[in-house]
Structures are given as C-alpha cells and as structure tokens.
C-alpha cells in the first residue's frame, strides 16, 4: 500500500474532495486546506456545490468540467462505492477513501478498472509519514 500512497501523493495534482463543505469542524475542510498547502488543486464536491478555500464547488463528479487526478472520498462507507464507480466514470487516476471509509468491493472494482486506490488512510498523515517522493 505504501507504493500506491506515494504514487498518488506524487502524481496527482487535482483532487476532487467529495463531501467538502465550509464546515470547519469536518475533517474534509482541514485535509483540503493541507492539500492546497502542498501545491495540490482541490475541487469541492458536495450537493450544495459551494466554493471552499477559494475553489468553485460542484454538485457531483460528473459536473466537473476538467480532468481530476484523484477523488478523495469523505462519505460514509456505504455511500463510498458509488463515488468510486463515478471516479472510474470520469477517468480519474486514483481514488482515496479517508480514515474509516472501507468498501472492499469498491476497491476490487476500482483497481480492476486500472485506478490506483487507497482505503482507510488520510493523505495529510501519509504525507508526513511517507512524503510524495
């Protein structure tokens, strides 16, 4: 898994953050800010489609009018598989399920489609641990 984590951190520049809103109490808010601090472009994806951290928001992955490298998923595990399938549909390079988000069937489908996938990890923690190399 460490090789996949390093690959995503190094190669993915545009991150769609699913579940990101302006709620500063949510983990997605802080992780998105962290990713921006590392030079990554974040794209908020939330039903409210609000702008966050100065970036325009979109209601769904399909609404984003430009390529996305990584889809970072901050939703409950029972909803995450559908997001992973949508990531395949928009030709993302990678899917990242945050801490506590696990769906083994989604992992199997997503990696079979050729995407790199990480589950139950946080990019901010992994950046400190492994760096993007």
């Amino acid at each position: 898994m460490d090789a996949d984590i390093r690959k995503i951190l190094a190669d993915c520049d545009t991150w769609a953050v699913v579940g990101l809103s302006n709620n500063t109490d949510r983990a997605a808010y802080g992780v998105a800010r962290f990713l921006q601090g590392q030079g990554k472009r974040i794209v908020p994806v939330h039903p409210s489609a609000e702008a966050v951290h100065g970036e325009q928001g979109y209601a769904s992955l399909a609404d984003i009018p430009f390529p996305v490298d990584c889809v970072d998923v901050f939703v409950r595990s029972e909803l995450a598989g559908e997001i992973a399938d949508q990531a395949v549909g928009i030709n993302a390079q990678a899917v990242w399920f945050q801490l506590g988000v696990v769906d083994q069937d989604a992992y199997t489908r997503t990696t079979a489609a050729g995407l790199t996938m990480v589950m139950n990890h946080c990019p901010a923690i992994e950046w400190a641990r492994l760096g993007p190399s």
Side-chain angles (χ1 to χ4, degrees), residues 20-22 29 42 44 46 48-58:
L20 176 58
S21 70
N22 279 305
Y29 188 87
I42 59 107
H46 191 278
S48 66
E50 61 187 313
V52 182
H53 299 310
E55 294 288 343
Q56 179 178 334
Y58 297 90

Side-chain angles (χ1 to χ4, degrees), residues 57-68:
Y58 297 90
S60 72
L61 291 174
D63 292 334
I64 301 171
F66 49 83
V68 168

